[in-house]
Amino acid sequence: MFKTIKKYYAAWLYKRAVRKAKKLAELFGMKYYVIHLGGSLKVVPKQTIKELIKRKRFRKGVTVEDIERHALFVTT
């Protein structure tokens, strides 16, 4: 039963993050990603991803395209 509750909670968090990403993308006209970062789901704009790569937050050689490919959700 505990596993079922964890699944529903994870699904709820994912749906909430997707809604937030869509809302922000529509509001600001930027591309947003839902990614698993730091142990939780984060809604991050593409511009911030570029900054994080420049600051070496990700491993050497990681590009924006790699992150976009592994993102859980990408707005258009």
Side-chain angles (χ1 to χ4, degrees):
M1 181 166 161
F2 187 69
K3 289 182 182 179
T4 305
I5 292 171
K6 274 180 86 171
K7 281 187 206 176
Y8 281 118
Y9 182 67
W12 179 76
L13 287 176
Y14 174 75
K15 287 180 188 177
R16 191 172 124 200
V18 168
R19 270 197 308 266
K20 184 178 178 182
K22 285 182 179 179
K23 182 180 175 183
L24 289 172
E26 185 178 312
L27 185 64
F28 295 112
M30 295 170 57
K31 198 171 204 179
Y32 279 81
Y33 301 118
V34 175
I35 58 174
H36 193 266
L37 187 66
S40 62
L41 293 178
K42 305 282 185 190
V43 178
V44 186
K46 186 174 183 177
Q47 183 177 1
T48 304
I49 294 288
K50 289 179 182 179
E51 286 179 20
L52 290 174
I53 289 172
K54 284 181 187 176
R55 293 183 184 178
K56 310 250 192 277
R57 174 66 171 82
F58 298 102
R59 289 184 183 176
K60 185 177 181 182
V62 173
T63 62
V64 176
E65 290 80 24
D66 296 333
I67 294 171
E68 185 170 345
R69 215 174 315 127
H70 288 96
L72 300 174
F73 181 78
V74 179
T75 61
T76 55

